[in-house]
Amino acid sequence: MRILGIDLGSREVKIVLMEDDKIIKKQKISTMSFYRDYCSYDGKIIVDLDKLQIGHVDKAISTGYGRNNTDLNKFITINEIKAHVYGAFYQTDLEEFILLDVGGQDVKVVKVEKRVSTDLELNDKCAASCGRYLENMANVLEISLDEMSKYYENPVGLNSTCAVFSESELIGKIAEGVSLDSLCAGVNYSLYKRLKPLLTKFKGRKLVVSGGVANNTAIIEYLKNDYDEVIRVDDPQFNGAIGCCYYGSRFLK
Amino acid sequence: MRRIGLTTTVPIEVLIAAGYHPIDLNNLFITSEDYGKYIDIAERDGFPKSLCAWIKGIYGACIENGITEIIGVMEGDCSNTKVLIEILKQKGIKVYPFSFPHTHKEEDVEQEIKKFMEIFGVEYEEVEKVRTRLNKIRALAKELDRLTYIDNKADGFENHLYLVSLSDFNGDVEAFENELMDVIDKIKGRKAKKKKLRLGFIGVPPMTGDIYDFVEKFNAHFVYNEVQREFAFPRADKAANIYEQYYDYTYPYDIEFRLKEIKKQIKERKIDGIIHYTQAFCYRALQDIIIKDELDVPVLNIEGDKLNRLDARTKLRIEAFLDMLSDLKEEPK
């Protein structure tokens, strides 16, 4: 049984193909390019599976940022909370945990008990606690996102609420001669501080982290102070797409 | 007939035998169009914002409706009720005490009910006569309950509304009996409405009555209302006397005793998931820890405060819970 899962994120579209519950293909395409180069529109969005070199699939499931643009022809759409929780089931085998998913524009915190979501919190109005903020700040520092994410010691204080003001605040710190290590740690710590109010309601022992921001080592380090165990899934960015496949293989008739 | 206010279910048989007209202040509060006014009255008189809305509503309802006598439940209810009663007493309202003893021993329950009968000057035989009369209506409530979980004809809200009303028989035993008979007749004539998910509602009756309709949008329905059912005394027919009836009653006693009955009903009613409702600032929210540990089915804890409708966040939580619960039901075992 070949199952295709597509997670349409704000920055990238993640595609996972599973055969008999094993991942056989993973692919990331920028969201812009996905719609422009791999889709056509005829009342509904039609995905060109041949062009994606996917071939035959038995079931196709999609999820993503906002419901409308995830409505692909011949795809079953599931909500992204469910997709990410199911992705975590596949990747961790846990049944009770708190899931923190931080993507390019949105944050989800979901409490899972007995394999069902019992509480959740989503960011609204503002996306300053998301991946896009880290990207912008790395650009200001003129280093790669990966490099920036390694630093967590001696963070310089960055206190702006707004992501745009944060950039000028960071430039001010550069002008003061603060070391690059501290600047990087400061950026990472400021994101952690924005996540914290969302997480305070979610006390628990095990935190599973997914989404692109899970690749940020510094944030994982900070989170370790708040939970007994912080688990970064193996494929954090593909978690939603994996969850789609999991739904397809387990529940979809 | 003299009116007497109740803050929770008490041996109503004694009060009716004594010629009283009992009124459940909870029902008076929540069924009122301007229920919010009752809360405001309490807050103006100094009740804190961070206090259970039921306590404030009961206070407002009591003052505003000119209730001059109440039963004060000194044991078996929360400590907020205790102080509420002290405040009402200070306001000149006459308070008759009653307790559901913490020991939960048959002889202690008997002792308390005997004291209660003595206060109101009624004999055991008179009370039993009223009990026999009320048991006929309790049997009707059981029938309505069966129409909910066996026949799938009565909906969750009807089940909630009629069972909870048995705490004071809507203030008029005869009229309530007739109403119940009519409703049962009407419901019997309906077609069964089967939903995929069977839910249980546990905890205090909700401020947010729209939860019953809301879950139906997601192919789910409530087939069990724990506390409302207890208010209707479904095991009254098995009790040899009034003492046994109020001994075999879960609401005011410990969580362990409550859970025994809940577990039995989950099995009997084939319940897929539980919604545990608690009131903001209530100690019962802590019981959620034990409940989640003890029950095998998924449990969602939701909290209500002053609003009598579900807020957007709670709706989203319920939706996500039911969505995944529905998947789980499909999963091959």
Side-chain angles (χ1 to χ4, degrees):
Chain A
M1 170 97 69
R2 283 163 72 90
I3 298 172
L4 177 67
I6 294 191
D7 175 9
L8 297 121
S10 61
R11 306 284 289 145
E12 282 173 320
V13 173
K14 280 78 71 177
I15 299 166
V16 168
L17 185 64
M18 273 194 196
E19 189 161 339
D20 302 327
D21 284 345
K22 295 220 164 47
I23 298 171
I24 55 164
K25 186 183 167 92
K26 287 186 296 190
Q27 199 176 344
K28 264 193 304 190
I29 303 167
S30 89
T31 304
M32 169 71 183
S33 157
F34 178 79
Y35 286 119
R36 187 188 56 204
D37 305 330
Y38 298 93
C39 295
S40 54
Y41 189 78
D42 184 17
K44 249 183 161 184
I45 298 164
I46 299 158
V47 184
D48 191 337
L49 295 185
D50 290 336
K51 210 168 178 187
L52 286 165
Q53 294 176 318
I54 283 167
H56 165 78
V57 293
D58 296 292
K59 293 172 187 173
I61 298 95
S62 63
T63 190
Y65 184 78
R67 284 199 183 184
N68 294 334
N69 61 358
T70 65
D71 193 12
L72 309 176
N73 195 29
K74 292 189 179 148
F75 276 69
I76 300 282
T77 304
I78 63 172
N79 83 50
E80 47 177 345
I81 296 160
K82 190 157 103 169
H84 285 275
V85 170
Y86 287 174
F89 286 161
Y90 182 87
Q91 297 202 71
T92 67
D93 273 335
L94 294 171
E95 297 195 344
E96 307 228 337
F97 53 88
I98 289 158
L99 175 70
L100 170 67
D101 177 85
V102 191
Q105 283 188 12
D106 65 344
V107 185
K108 289 180 267 299
V109 191
V110 189
K111 186 168 192 177
V112 180
E113 295 170 285
K114 297 185 182 120
R115 299 179 68 212
V116 174
S117 148
T118 57
D119 202 359
L120 54 97
E121 195 72 70
L122 311 167
N123 64 321
D124 58 0
K125 298 184 189 80
C126 172
S129 57
C130 302
R132 187 65 185 265
Y133 167 74
L134 295 178
E135 279 180 32
N136 290 346
M137 296 298 258
N139 276 339
V140 173
L141 292 172
E142 295 180 359
I143 60 167
S144 75
L145 197 57
D146 285 350
E147 181 62 20
M148 187 183 76
S149 78
K150 289 177 191 158
Y151 300 94
Y152 53 88
E153 279 167 355
N154 305 315
V156 65
L158 296 171
N159 297 308
S160 301
T161 305
C162 165
V164 179
F165 286 154
S166 288
E167 290 183 26
S168 41
E169 197 182 1
L170 185 64
I171 291 164
K173 297 292 175 191
I174 298 169
E176 284 171 26
V178 176
S179 75
L180 185 67
D181 295 12
S182 278
L183 292 168
C184 291
V187 172
N188 295 325
Y189 193 71
S190 65
L191 186 104
Y192 165 75
K193 273 198 298 184
R194 291 195 181 104
L195 291 173
K196 231 176 153 186
L198 278 171
L199 283 166
T200 44
K201 280 189 220 150
F202 294 79
K203 297 284 180 228
R205 300 196 180 274
K206 282 183 190 155
L207 181 77
V208 174
V209 192
S210 67
V213 174
N215 288 324
N216 186 303
T217 308
I219 288 164
I220 299 284
E221 282 302 317
Y222 299 135
L223 289 166
K224 279 181 184 166
N225 294 323
D226 304 327
Y227 294 88
D228 289 359
E229 218 182 315
V230 176
I231 302 142
R232 183 197 334 224
V233 295
D234 289 339
D235 270 323
Q237 281 178 287
F238 287 97
N239 192 52
I242 291 171
C244 287
C245 295
Y246 181 91
Y247 171 79
S249 77
R250 285 279 187 129
F251 306 119
L252 190 63
K253 279 182 183 151
Chain B
M1 268 206 289
R2 282 157 72 188
R3 293 192 305 171
I4 191 159
L6 313 179
T7 57
T8 184
T9 301
V10 293
I12 194 172
E13 291 79 0
V14 175
L15 303 174
I16 294 175
Y20 272 96
H21 183 101
I23 294 167
D24 188 330
L25 299 172
N26 294 280
N27 299 353
L28 198 60
F29 157 55
I30 200 65
T31 55
S32 167
E33 289 249 324
D34 44 10
Y35 74 99
K37 189 180 79 182
Y38 293 144
I39 298 176
D40 285 346
I41 292 170
E43 288 185 352
R44 268 206 307 275
D45 282 359
F47 284 65
K49 289 263 177 217
S50 56
L51 185 89
C52 161
W54 280 112
I55 296 289
K56 289 185 268 198
I58 291 171
Y59 174 83
C62 186
I63 299 287
E64 195 70 1
N65 289 283
I67 305 283
T68 54
E69 293 178 273
I70 60 160
I71 304 300
V73 174
M74 310 312 282
E75 254 182 82
D77 212 343
C78 67
S79 46
N80 287 328
T81 310
K82 260 188 179 172
V83 185
L84 167 71
I85 288 158
E86 287 169 352
I87 295 171
L88 290 172
K89 204 169 170 179
Q90 199 209 25
K91 297 249 166 209
I93 288 166
K94 189 158 171 50
V95 176
Y96 301 96
F98 180 74
S99 293
F100 291 101
H102 284 315
T103 58
H104 195 203
K105 282 188 189 156
E106 280 188 71
E107 59 267 32
D108 294 343
V109 177
E110 182 172 336
Q111 201 52 40
E112 284 300 329
I113 295 178
K114 279 183 172 160
K115 273 200 267 177
F116 200 50
M117 293 193 299
E118 214 176 280
I119 292 172
F120 288 97
V122 289
E123 296 298 321
Y124 173 79
E125 290 72 25
E126 297 172 81
V127 172
E128 281 300 317
K129 214 173 128 192
V130 176
R131 196 172 85 90
T132 310
R133 167 79 186 99
L134 295 187
N135 276 0
K136 279 190 189 160
I137 306 171
R138 299 195 193 282
L140 289 173
K142 265 174 94 167
E143 197 176 341
L144 185 107
D145 199 18
R146 278 193 295 270
L147 283 168
T148 316
Y149 76 94
I150 296 175
D151 297 349
N152 299 304
K153 287 182 176 177
D155 63 36
F157 181 73
E158 287 167 328
N159 184 285
H160 152 78
L161 181 72
Y162 288 102
L163 296 191
V164 83
S165 299
L166 264 83
S167 64
D168 66 356
F169 295 83
N170 271 357
D172 186 335
V173 175
E174 317 298 323
F176 184 66
E177 184 179 36
N178 289 333
E179 187 184 341
L180 209 48
M181 283 194 293
D182 286 349
V183 164
I184 287 171
D185 264 356
K186 203 178 84 194
I187 292 171
K188 273 184 176 165
R190 281 183 202 162
K191 277 196 183 133
K193 201 167 61 172
K194 265 202 157 175
K195 299 270 182 185
K196 182 176 172 185
L197 290 175
R198 298 170 66 82
L199 303 175
F201 184 99
I202 69 168
V204 293
M207 283 283 294
T208 50
D210 57 334
I211 189 169
Y212 293 96
D213 280 346
F214 182 71
V215 300
E216 296 205 358
K217 286 191 209 158
F218 307 98
N219 205 6
H221 62 155
F222 283 102
V223 293
Y224 175 46
N225 282 301
E226 184 224 350
V227 169
Q228 295 88 326
R229 177 172 171 268
E230 287 299 315
F231 286 171
F233 289 86
R235 301 170 296 280
D237 53 341
K238 291 188 186 76
N241 50 46
I242 183 119
Y243 314 125
E244 269 187 39
Q245 180 178 325
Y246 283 85
Y247 167 76
D248 188 14
Y249 170 47
T250 67
Y251 178 70
Y253 300 114
D254 57 294
I255 186 77
E256 219 181 311
F257 189 60
R258 259 180 75 197
L259 276 167
K260 257 191 221 163
E261 183 62 24
I262 293 170
K263 284 178 186 172
K264 209 172 126 190
Q265 294 307 321
I266 288 176
K267 222 173 139 189
E268 169 122 10
R269 294 169 193 239
K270 299 183 182 73
I271 286 169
D272 301 306
I274 290 283
I275 292 192
H276 178 211
Y277 177 91
T278 50
Q279 194 64 33
F281 315 111
C282 175
Y283 75 99
R284 288 179 182 273
L286 275 176
Q287 291 175 331
D288 193 58
I289 300 169
I290 303 169
I291 289 169
K292 279 189 172 151
D293 223 38
E294 285 285 325
L295 300 184
D296 293 332
V297 294
V299 179
L300 174 72
N301 178 215
I302 64 164
E303 203 171 65
D305 191 6
K306 287 185 202 169
L307 202 66
N308 71 350
R309 306 202 63 78
L310 293 169
D311 61 86
R313 201 180 95 81
T314 306
K315 282 183 177 171
L316 190 67
R317 288 179 59 213
I318 296 174
E319 188 180 344
F321 177 76
L322 297 179
D323 188 10
M324 287 184 211
L325 199 60
S326 174
D327 285 349
L328 220 52
K329 202 169 177 174
E330 293 287 312
E331 194 177 38
K333 293 274 184 284

